[in-house]
Amino acid sequence: MDHLDQLENDSIYIIREAYKEFKDIAMLWSIGKDSTTLLYLVRKAFYGHVPFPVLHLDTSYKFREIYTFRDTWAKQWHLNLVIARNKDALARKVRPDAGNKLTCCGELKTEALKQAIKEHGYRAILLGIRRDEHGIRAKERYFSPRNNQFQWDYKNQPAELWDLYKNNESAEEHIRVHPLLHWTELDIWRYIQREKIPIVDLYLAKNGKRYRSIGCEPCCSPVSSEADTVDKIVEELKTTSISERSGRAQDKERAYMMQKLRSMGYM
Amino acid sequence: MNDFPLKLVITGHVDHGKSTLIGRLLFDTGSLPDDKITEIRQICSALGKEFEFGYILDNLEEERDQGITIDTTQIFFSSKKRHYVIIDAPGHVEFIKNMITGASQADTAVIIIDAEEGIREQTKRHAFILGMLGIKKVIVLINKMDRVGYDQERFTSVKNAYLDFLNEIGLHAIQSIPISASNGDNVATGSSHISWYQGPTFLEALDSFEVPNSLKNAPLRFAVQDIYNFSKRIIAGKVVSGTLRQGDAVTVLPSGEKTQVRSLEEYLRNPDSAETGKCIGVMTTDKIFCDRGYIFSDPRDTPAITQQFRANIFWMDKISCKKGQQIIFRCSTQEANGKITAIHTVINSSTLELMGSDTDEIKNREVAQVTIRTDRPVIIEPHTKTPELGRFVLVTDNVSAGGIITEVLL
Amino acid sequence: MIVILAIDALEYNLVDRFNCTHLMQKNYGKTDISEFSEPRTMVLWSSFMTGKNLEEEILAKGDKEMWETHIDHARTFFSHFTSPAVIDLPGYNYDIMEHKREREILKHFFDVKTPEEKEQVKKEYNDRAFAFHRKIKDEFLSALRENHDLVLGYFSIADVIGHLNFGNTTLMKMIYRDLDEIAGSIPAPYIVLSDHGMEPIGMFGDHSRYGFWSSSEQDLGNPKITVFFDIMISGISSGSFKGDHS
């Protein structure tokens, strides 16, 4: 098995384990490249089927292209698509303005997820989170597999898993499963390239710009790029060192940091 | 060049020069990006300190992205002959935990001893622990030769004392090499200071180390994970030893039924073989009963089905283990209730001190040699034969321990 | 001699993770600074040296004036010592101009727009912080060789560098190692104390809401920063600081 085969193999094993151990399982699909890759792997694991619900956390601020892509493929792949929204927050017109970008994510996404889990009683959620993502996201993470269940974990898991076992203070009752943990951004794109996995065309360059990471329209900025095909994106990634979330997370981090430093009288 | 890296673990008393050795090895083999070394040099001068090779190792462990803790450090370097990865860990506890739980599996171990100080209690304990973790062959490095004037007699006396000890515990030193990590003597390059030594440098010794056989040709074992009935009945699982091929005759354990592999199933593909580590679906020629936890085996060499075995475990629960308490045993896709019926020896994983023999308790972070009895038969093998059927976790309310099977008792 | 290693923003989790044995000593833990509305450097150190929660008093001075606080010697526990040496402690005798300049460059970093400019400003900021750190280190090590009954060294490097570089673990680790070595070279019983810790925000570092303490003599539990005043005073009278350090 080559490198991608190995990653694919390990992810499929994790997905199958999660399905076996938690029958009330759902997966989160953000329609982005990572979770679409995850969805693709799920289909491979279950021989073309997706035997559990696929959750989309809809903040209502997504790009139009995302909604179109979602509906097309949900139909094509016969997905049991569940669209979750924090109706209350949306009614209060929560928006990602300058000061509250962090809290907006919290309310529209995290809360919506909590509500969906409560409503449907999911015991476990599959997510496409990767280990090499950085930014504020790194703090929010906590992992499954939970204590007594999975065998493969201590061979392939990063050690923060051990920290999780020790600091088991999670208030949430569900388990998060991360089959893509060991994949890097480049791995994902190379796999997309190899398997010809469909992706939202926002990732491809138009007029000298493309999105390296997609989410809600108000918070995403494109980067300069001429890569208008997956092949070119792979080439570009091999040579570039700009972090993936540069358009998004760094912006938020900077804004947050300035705010904090001001409140403490530094600036 | 061989594709898969040789995995090493480097042990020894903390002051005997491990960090310097690794830093030097990386530097001499050109395995580090220049800008990393430059950055470390710059920080050293910003702090007003001298640059030392030990800093390189110190910092390689850390990822640039914060918030990620790594227990297993993987340090890559290459000689002209092959790739290597040093499986290193910040302290004994992590190293033992990772080794025993399979997070890192070393092919060989290197033991460093300070020529000036000689053998410390810790040096002995390290060897003992290595033996417990399944490593039998080690390379001994006698370091800081510069501090003893590169004296041959000193080297010989330290070496002989240590070899005697290794003999006692059943370990075999394939090489004993005089080095100076800080000066670079005999690490990657030879030394004019040590003209009396005719053997290989450390790197040469590594290059000539024979990689143990992979599991490719080992007897077949396929562990059943789940059964799917989406459109046809597919047995999903993982090849944990050997190679699974279409047409193979297999014995289904624990039932003993015999059948043949009709086809290997992947989504939209039917490969004709699956190697060790591969997750694959199977369809059999006969309709046999099987469930998660079953093992398909080579009919000529089947693993043991037993309820009793000896193992070395690492207890990682704050609540101590009491002899005789109920635990859940999980190995590969199997799960069974059981008890630890005897605790033969207990060792503190930080100090490596012997805590007790034939005792009743194992505390948090202790390593113990135990006998385990399960309530129903499980399919297992010694860890040295089939790692995945020789490695397990013990669960109480959490994952309380990881362990490796040393002996199957029937 | 009793020594206090006052390290701004020393983070408990990193001391633990980097296994800084001299910073950890025999007993270590987190301090309780929950009584303060925000983990502000000036407020915390002023409260530390006087044994009282001075948040209101300090904040009343306003953002600009706050940094020029100068607590009267008589209010501090230093006044109970015969020959104290206090190096660069905020609110007492710290180098106002130097730290003001630091903050200006920090602000400048956020003001400039392009990545190249940011890198340049960051380098200027870092170089300056390190140069000052070397100076303080020298002063501290000198003071230890002199005949004082109290030596307090305040080190701001972890905080200053941390604000813009906390995500660079190579850098942070080497700084922590350096601080650990400084602690290791102290030839007397000592206490390590930080006002608050640091937590990551991407590449940046924000103040966390607990500080760090360590002592070779006693287990202090989860102390408030204001109790150190009493600990110091009672330590003198009980003579517990005269003995050998472990």
Side-chain angles (χ1 to χ4, degrees):
Chain A
M1 289 192 267
D2 69 15
H3 178 65
L4 286 183
D5 287 330
Q6 188 74 56
L7 290 174
E8 176 193 65
N9 187 67
D10 293 346
S11 297
I12 287 178
Y13 189 75
I14 293 171
I15 292 166
R16 287 179 175 165
E17 279 291 290
Y19 177 63
K20 176 69 184 168
E21 296 297 304
F22 300 105
K23 278 300 196 267
D24 291 321
I25 193 170
M27 77 163 270
L28 222 57
W29 188 29
S30 68
I31 328 293
K33 68 179 190 316
D34 296 333
S35 55
T36 304
T37 300
L38 180 61
L39 186 52
Y40 180 86
L41 287 166
V42 167
R43 293 188 74 238
K44 255 202 176 179
F46 303 114
Y47 300 92
H49 296 82
V50 181
F52 41 74
V54 176
L55 270 181
H56 178 218
L57 299 179
D58 186 8
T59 61
S60 82
Y61 295 113
K62 304 271 184 185
F63 292 91
R64 187 181 30 89
E65 290 88 334
I66 290 179
Y67 292 113
T68 315
F69 184 90
R70 175 193 77 187
D71 296 333
T72 307
W73 290 100
K75 197 158 159 214
Q76 183 98 329
W77 290 333
H78 310 290
L79 302 181
N80 171 3
L81 182 67
V82 174
I83 299 173
R85 282 193 176 152
N86 186 345
K87 298 197 183 73
D88 168 64
L90 286 172
R92 282 184 286 117
K93 303 226 184 327
V94 173
R95 256 200 76 81
D97 302 316
N100 77 336
K101 281 187 186 188
L102 276 187
T103 51
C104 178
C105 265
E107 286 207 74
L108 294 185
K109 285 179 22 185
T110 316
E111 270 309 307
L113 177 58
K114 281 189 188 155
Q115 288 169 9
I117 290 172
K118 220 167 167 184
E119 193 184 320
H120 299 271
Y122 301 129
R123 281 187 61 211
I125 306 277
L126 280 173
L127 293 121
I129 292 194
R130 303 182 338 248
R131 191 180 178 199
D132 69 336
E133 291 172 293
H134 70 89
I136 303 173
R137 211 105 183 241
K139 275 199 335 179
E140 287 173 11
R141 279 198 290 197
Y142 61 99
F143 303 125
S144 104
R146 185 181 42 179
N147 24 38
N148 65 345
Q149 302 300 343
F150 301 171
Q151 179 69 19
W152 46 262
D153 49 39
Y154 45 81
K155 184 164 184 181
N156 297 316
Q157 292 291 333
E160 46 200 316
L161 186 62
W162 298 119
D163 290 344
L164 178 66
Y165 290 157
K166 287 188 236 151
N167 309 331
N168 213 358
E169 10 114 69
S170 154
E172 316 234 16
E173 286 162 23
H174 68 285
I175 302 299
R176 293 181 173 204
V177 186
H178 305 282
L180 297 183
L181 207 56
H182 272 76
W183 297 58
T184 62
E185 188 189 1
L186 183 56
D187 289 330
I188 297 273
W189 278 112
R190 285 181 54 222
Y191 189 68
I192 289 172
Q193 180 187 40
R194 189 180 91 170
E195 304 282 310
K196 305 195 187 345
I197 300 176
I199 46 151
V200 181
D201 62 9
L202 291 169
Y203 284 109
L204 306 171
K206 278 191 246 326
N207 305 320
K209 286 206 180 300
R210 70 177 191 88
Y211 288 88
R212 250 179 104 158
S213 146
I214 60 169
C216 303
E217 200 160 352
C219 287
C220 281
S221 337
V223 298
S224 307
S225 164
E226 295 298 325
D228 55 356
T229 62
V230 175
D231 291 338
K232 289 188 194 161
I233 291 178
V234 170
E235 279 318 300
E236 188 182 270
L237 273 184
K238 284 185 182 160
T239 52
T240 199
S241 63
I242 308 168
S243 102
E244 175 186 345
R245 293 184 175 278
S246 60
R248 252 161 98 193
Q250 278 188 19
D251 220 24
K252 290 190 201 181
E253 287 153 12
R254 221 181 334 263
Y256 183 78
M257 205 54 209
M258 284 174 70
Q259 196 184 40
K260 287 311 299 272
L261 289 173
R262 262 190 215 116
S263 77
M264 288 195 288
Y266 274 77
M267 315 201 307
Chain B
M1 260 237 256
N2 198 328
D3 229 1
F4 290 98
L6 184 70
K7 302 192 275 299
L8 311 177
V9 72
I10 304 189
T11 68
H13 185 91
V14 63
D15 296 328
H16 284 196
K18 183 168 95 165
S19 305
T20 313
L21 172 71
I22 298 178
R24 167 60 76 176
L25 201 53
L26 292 169
F27 186 74
D28 282 355
T29 54
S31 301
L32 283 171
D34 282 331
D35 57 2
K36 187 80 187 180
I37 307 204
T38 309
E39 184 184 2
I40 296 176
R41 280 194 201 274
Q42 278 174 352
I43 300 173
C44 281
S45 93
L47 288 168
K49 304 154 91 109
E50 290 273 329
F51 173 77
E52 282 171 46
F53 283 105
Y55 291 131
I56 298 180
L57 168 62
D58 219 23
N59 287 283
L60 266 183
E61 298 168 350
E62 300 293 332
E63 295 245 41
R64 286 204 147 234
D65 301 330
Q66 93 302 331
I68 300 173
T69 319
I70 331 173
D71 262 354
T72 310
T73 306
Q74 297 205 303
I75 303 170
F76 293 91
F77 70 95
S78 319
S79 69
K80 292 191 181 59
K81 284 240 182 89
R82 57 152 80 121
H83 297 298
Y84 294 96
V85 53
I86 303 174
I87 297 167
D88 195 53
H92 300 120
V93 177
E94 286 79 9
F95 148 61
I96 294 172
K97 188 182 2 179
N98 291 333
M99 288 278 285
I100 251 186
T101 57
S104 57
Q105 204 54 38
D107 293 317
T108 189
V110 177
I111 300 179
I112 295 189
I113 307 172
D114 180 335
E116 207 180 16
E117 271 212 350
I119 300 168
R120 298 279 298 253
E121 193 49 39
Q122 241 195 41
T123 325
K124 288 189 179 176
R125 290 184 204 142
H126 270 120
F128 185 72
I129 278 283
L130 288 172
M132 265 185 97
L133 296 171
I135 293 185
K136 298 293 176 199
K137 296 190 181 155
V138 298
I139 296 176
V140 178
L141 298 179
I142 295 176
N143 190 23
K144 306 199 192 182
M145 288 300 296
D146 51 315
R147 300 256 190 101
V148 298
Y150 300 102
D151 179 43
Q152 181 173 18
E153 264 182 55
R154 181 70 190 147
F155 167 71
T156 312
S157 83
V158 173
K159 167 181 127 175
N160 288 339
Y162 200 61
L163 291 187
D164 284 341
F165 170 71
L166 289 182
N167 245 330
E168 279 173 43
I169 56 174
L171 254 60
H172 172 58
I174 53 179
Q175 288 288 351
S176 298
I177 311 175
I179 65 168
S180 164
S182 48
N183 288 351
D185 301 291
N186 278 340
V187 175
T189 53
S191 165
S192 51
H193 297 123
I194 317 185
S195 52
W196 44 264
Y197 173 72
Q198 301 299 322
T201 61
F202 177 46
L203 197 59
E204 282 164 357
L206 285 177
D207 279 345
S208 57
F209 181 82
E210 284 194 14
V211 190
N213 292 324
S214 71
L215 286 171
K216 201 162 61 160
N217 299 318
L220 171 71
R221 278 107 175 77
F222 169 80
V224 177
Q225 196 178 4
D226 202 350
I227 318 284
Y228 299 142
N229 282 298
F230 294 118
S231 35
K232 39 189 183 173
R233 184 172 185 257
I234 295 178
I235 302 165
K238 184 161 126 174
V239 181
V240 301
S241 169
T243 304
L244 184 64
R245 292 189 177 83
Q246 191 199 355
D248 274 351
V250 296
T251 300
V252 178
L253 300 173
S255 64
E257 285 192 72
K258 288 187 176 359
T259 184
Q260 224 183 352
V261 175
R262 189 171 99 197
S263 63
L264 295 180
E265 300 285 327
E266 276 182 351
Y267 179 48
L268 303 177
R269 270 189 78 218
N270 292 98
D272 41 35
S273 72
E275 61 191 72
T276 306
K278 186 100 175 92
C279 299
I280 193 91
V282 172
M283 289 185 76
T284 53
T285 49
D286 307 285
K287 187 144 203 246
I288 44 114
F289 175 77
C290 75
D291 199 0
R292 178 183 169 89
Y294 273 56
I295 306 278
F296 289 12
S297 157
D298 180 329
R300 302 160 298 183
D301 182 344
T302 56
I305 306 179
T306 182
Q307 283 180 249
Q308 213 174 212
F309 52 90
R310 280 185 74 126
N312 295 335
I313 66 173
F314 178 81
W315 193 259
M316 45 190 148
D317 197 327
K318 289 197 176 70
I319 303 170
S320 300
C321 166
K322 297 284 190 310
K323 183 169 87 171
Q325 77 176 74
Q326 278 288 342
I327 37 106
I328 299 172
F329 168 82
R330 294 186 53 121
C331 171
S332 180
T333 49
Q334 301 170 75
E335 186 174 310
N337 289 322
K339 290 189 172 75
I340 294 177
T341 53
I343 301 174
H344 306 290
T345 48
V346 180
I347 296 177
N348 177 313
S349 61
S350 308
T351 60
L352 303 184
E353 272 176 81
L354 180 68
M355 302 304 290
S357 303
D358 285 320
T359 58
D360 294 329
E361 195 187 9
I362 308 170
K363 300 204 185 76
N364 189 17
R365 300 182 150 199
E366 290 184 338
V367 193
Q369 292 170 312
V370 299
T371 298
I372 295 177
R373 194 175 168 68
T374 50
D375 290 355
R376 55 176 191 76
V378 286
I379 307 164
I380 53 171
E381 283 195 299
H383 169 253
T384 41
K385 181 166 181 198
T386 306
E388 273 213 52
L389 293 181
R391 190 156 54 225
F392 59 92
V393 286
L394 298 176
V395 179
T396 53
D397 286 318
N398 310 298
V399 172
S400 301
I404 53 178
I405 295 171
T406 51
E407 196 187 337
V408 170
L409 304 167
L410 294 162
Chain C
M1 181 192 275
I2 171 76
V3 179
I4 299 178
L5 200 48
I7 303 177
D8 204 303
L10 189 68
E11 167 54 43
Y12 175 95
N13 287 315
L14 290 190
V15 173
D16 194 56
R17 183 167 130 206
F18 296 153
N19 202 34
C20 301
T21 49
H22 300 292
L23 289 175
M24 293 193 285
Q25 300 192 84
K26 219 156 80 183
N27 308 291
Y28 70 99
K30 295 182 179 173
T31 59
D32 174 8
I33 53 172
S34 55
E35 60 185 302
F36 301 96
S37 66
E38 288 263 16
R40 290 186 183 84
T41 296
M42 252 332 156
V43 169
L44 291 165
W45 291 115
S46 301
S47 304
F48 156 72
M49 65 182 120
T50 57
K52 297 185 172 52
N53 180 334
L54 295 187
E55 178 161 41
E56 225 182 290
E57 181 185 321
I58 306 283
L59 290 184
K61 302 183 186 200
D63 272 356
K64 294 287 179 316
E65 302 305 316
M66 170 175 82
W67 296 105
E68 308 192 1
T69 297
H70 185 84
I71 302 280
D72 201 47
H73 179 76
R75 295 172 72 187
T76 71
F77 66 79
F78 316 143
S79 58
H80 292 250
F81 287 84
T82 332
S83 135
V86 178
I87 299 167
D88 200 50
L89 187 64
Y92 183 70
N93 66 351
Y94 97 156
D95 190 336
I96 294 177
M97 290 320 299
E98 172 66 33
H99 294 288
K100 179 165 184 231
R101 183 75 196 115
E102 250 162 37
R103 289 192 300 279
E104 278 167 10
I105 306 178
L106 182 64
K107 178 169 188 303
H108 191 48
F109 173 86
F110 286 103
D111 285 340
V112 299
K113 295 297 172 210
T114 71
E116 296 80 28
E117 283 176 290
K118 286 202 185 282
E119 274 314 296
Q120 224 175 348
V121 178
K122 196 197 302 199
K123 183 167 189 322
E124 189 196 338
Y125 179 81
N126 289 354
D127 286 347
R128 198 187 179 89
F130 278 115
F132 189 67
H133 174 69
R134 293 195 295 274
K135 174 165 169 271
I136 296 292
K137 219 200 303 194
D138 282 338
E139 272 181 51
F140 180 67
L141 296 173
S142 294
L144 291 177
R145 293 191 285 269
E146 293 159 11
N147 212 355
H148 299 284
D149 50 352
L150 169 72
V151 175
L152 185 152
Y154 169 77
F155 291 86
S156 58
I157 183 123
D159 184 66
V160 177
I161 295 288
H163 280 307
L164 286 190
N165 303 271
F166 200 63
N168 182 340
T169 345
T170 300
L171 190 47
M172 294 314 298
K173 189 169 186 179
M174 290 194 73
I175 289 174
Y176 274 63
R177 284 263 175 272
D178 192 56
L179 292 167
D180 195 49
E181 274 170 32
I182 293 172
S185 66
I186 300 174
Y190 61 96
I191 287 183
V192 181
L193 182 63
S194 76
D195 47 352
H196 53 74
M198 197 152 256
E199 51 190 30
I201 305 281
M203 189 44 120
F204 307 116
D206 186 21
H207 293 182
S208 62
R209 285 172 177 273
Y210 49 82
F212 173 90
W213 68 267
S214 83
S215 155
S216 56
E217 319 280 321
Q218 356 156 227
D219 180 1
L220 303 172
N222 182 220
K224 295 195 168 170
I225 201 170
T226 42
V227 322
F228 288 88
F229 182 97
D230 294 319
I231 292 175
M232 290 296 120
I233 309 285
S234 64
I236 303 171
S237 53
S238 73
S240 70
F241 295 147
K242 298 257 166 39
D244 269 322
H245 62 105
S246 48

